[in-house]
Amino acid sequence: MIINFSDLENFGFLKIPVSKDIDLVSEIDKLKKEKNAVILGHFYIDGKLQDISDYVGDSLQLSQQAAKTDADIIVFLGVHFMAETAKILSPSKKVLIPDLKAGCSLADSCPATDFEKFVKEHPGYTVISYVNTTAEIKALTDIVVTSSNAKEIVESLPENEKIIFGPDRNLGNYINSVTGRNMLLWDGACHVHKQFDLEAILKLKAENPDAKIIAHPECEKPVLIVSEHIGSTASLLKFTQTDPSDKYIVATESGILHQMKKASPDKTFIPAPALDSTCGCNDCNFMKLNTLEKLYNCLKYEQPEVFVDENLRVKAEKSILRMLEISAKLGL
Ligand code: 13P
Ligand code: SF4
């Protein structure tokens, strides 16, 4: 078969038909072993893909894995900024992503030229950026954070430190409220998390008074106010495992429900409703671009590959390494 690599420009992935007769899961496993590849999967991808990943985790756990793996190839089942972060941390490894178009609306809400202008307008500020950003933003950043360590990293800085926090205004507002800081916020948001409907969540709660509302800090403030636990995907999962309740209304991308049900099969998990009940908006369309077929082609042809310019990589790496160092020191 002639492989048309220009497909990647048009589709973002190799559009090579995969025979219906092959067992994709066992073929992927074979290719993975042959090529000494590791599959890192985020909690938001489809459950079938989570089950064949070598590591499933939140953004912090996956970047920690990417920094220490001894595999030759990293296949990232997540979105582009995650694969890019893996490449920045492991430049000698080949980093693959099944679909290059798996972007992130939150990362897109922070263009590098505008952010650079904002940073220059505020000299003397320490720049903290959420990991959901491009390499260009990370290069303008002092310390990267994830939703797992943002609170602790902000608290580790002197109380009078002037801080810019970008790009997620909801996470920034939440961190300001729990730390008592007054960080200057970039006005970005995630299209999945900002659309959860408070009214519909409260209606669901009235119908299920025994259910606890739990939410990711990327949600808007009204949703966070009514939530009984707020945390990263890993934190939400852990909470449902250790908390005595049997029912939860979960305000984050619905992929996390797969691990919650696996860990606590006797508990009930209800995805928080979206503003528009017909759109399936509590699914991240970018995360859901990952499929078994694309993963198979990606491993087989080692395409699409993620590259980062070396000058940019070196600048971006510093802020990610600072996050990993502080997290290790804090035992996170
Ligand atoms: P965490 O997995 O770090 O909680 O982040 C959620 C997210 O939005 C990833 O894109
Ligand atoms: Fe980005 Fe939102 Fe999708 Fe996470 S859920 S990858 S923040 S668009």
Side-chain angles (χ1 to χ4, degrees):
M1 177 191 291
I2 297 164
I3 304 163
N4 184 4
F5 286 106
S6 66
D7 272 359
L8 289 175
E9 273 167 37
N10 300 327
F11 303 107
F13 59 93
L14 281 177
K15 211 165 184 283
I16 299 173
V18 176
S19 161
K20 296 237 176 319
D21 302 330
I22 62 170
D23 177 351
L24 282 174
V25 174
S26 70
E27 287 303 314
I28 287 167
D29 197 47
K30 238 191 265 170
L31 283 167
K32 203 177 68 180
K33 286 182 184 134
E34 250 168 60
K35 298 182 182 225
N36 188 27
V38 67
I39 301 180
L40 305 182
H42 189 268
F43 286 133
Y44 291 164
I45 56 172
D46 185 83
K48 282 194 297 291
L49 292 170
Q50 292 188 36
D51 290 344
I52 58 165
S53 296
D54 296 297
Y55 298 96
V56 188
D58 71 356
S59 310
L60 177 63
Q61 293 166 329
L62 293 174
S63 55
Q64 286 165 333
Q65 286 298 335
K68 70 178 186 200
T69 181
D70 53 12
D72 296 316
I73 297 178
I74 298 173
V75 185
F76 220 112
L77 299 181
V79 292
H80 190 272
F81 77 81
M82 297 179 173
E84 187 176 66
T85 302
K87 183 68 183 174
I88 292 168
L89 290 168
S90 295
S92 61
K93 301 196 189 309
K94 189 176 257 191
V95 177
L96 304 172
I97 183 167
D99 192 326
L100 278 173
K101 291 196 173 153
C104 170
S105 55
L106 181 51
D108 289 346
S109 70
C110 192
T113 42
D114 298 349
F115 192 67
E116 185 171 16
K117 191 164 165 269
F118 182 64
V119 169
K120 282 194 177 142
E121 282 165 3
H122 298 93
Y125 277 70
T126 296
V127 180
I128 297 189
S129 295
Y130 196 28
V131 69
N132 298 41
T133 46
T134 59
E136 285 78 5
I137 298 294
K138 290 182 175 85
L140 296 165
T141 295
D142 296 302
I143 316 172
V144 166
V145 296
T146 76
S147 48
S148 265
N149 57 20
K151 174 177 171 284
E152 290 79 2
I153 288 183
V154 169
E155 279 173 339
S156 75
L157 300 176
E159 251 173 70
N160 58 354
E161 187 129 347
K162 293 192 286 185
I163 301 172
I164 284 175
F165 185 94
D168 189 21
R169 61 163 187 261
N170 292 325
L171 176 63
N173 261 317
Y174 172 68
I175 300 299
N176 272 344
S177 74
V178 291
T179 60
R181 304 288 174 117
N182 188 21
M183 302 185 298
L184 209 50
L185 307 182
W186 183 262
D187 191 18
C190 154
H191 74 298
V192 177
H193 287 88
K194 76 176 182 191
Q195 55 71 49
F196 284 113
D197 183 19
L198 178 65
E199 234 176 87
I201 290 177
L202 292 179
K203 186 168 171 275
L204 205 53
K205 172 77 177 168
E207 289 160 8
N208 298 275
D210 52 335
K212 281 188 178 154
I213 302 170
I214 59 174
H216 195 282
E218 285 174 26
C219 294
E220 300 278 346
K221 193 172 178 181
V223 171
L224 297 184
I225 287 173
V226 298
S227 296
E228 288 172 71
H229 180 73
I230 298 164
S232 68
T233 47
S235 162
L236 296 178
L237 172 61
K238 192 166 172 210
F239 179 77
T240 60
Q241 289 172 269
T242 50
D243 176 74
S245 305
D246 290 325
K247 214 188 246 187
Y248 303 90
I249 296 168
V250 185
T252 191
E253 213 275 353
S254 61
I256 187 67
L257 267 68
H258 180 68
Q259 295 296 330
M260 289 176 172
K261 287 176 189 162
K262 263 176 98 167
S264 309
D266 299 329
K267 295 191 177 189
T268 305
F269 301 98
I270 312 170
L275 256 180
D276 173 356
S277 57
T278 61
C279 71
C281 317
N282 45 8
D283 277 340
C284 172
N285 49 314
F286 299 115
M287 288 281 180
K288 292 332 194 232
L289 285 175
N290 292 286
T291 64
L292 267 181
E293 288 78 9
K294 287 184 206 169
L295 170 60
Y296 170 74
N297 277 338
C298 171
L299 261 170
K300 185 165 177 187
Y301 299 104
E302 300 183 19
Q303 293 284 342
E305 186 172 352
V306 174
F307 297 100
V308 183
D309 166 82
E310 182 57 15
N311 280 334
L312 177 62
R313 190 197 71 75
V314 171
K315 286 187 200 152
E317 187 184 29
K318 281 190 197 141
S319 56
I320 308 172
L321 289 179
R322 268 195 87 186
M323 167 182 83
L324 294 177
E325 279 157 22
I326 302 174
S327 299
K329 224 183 267 172
L330 297 173
L332 300 167

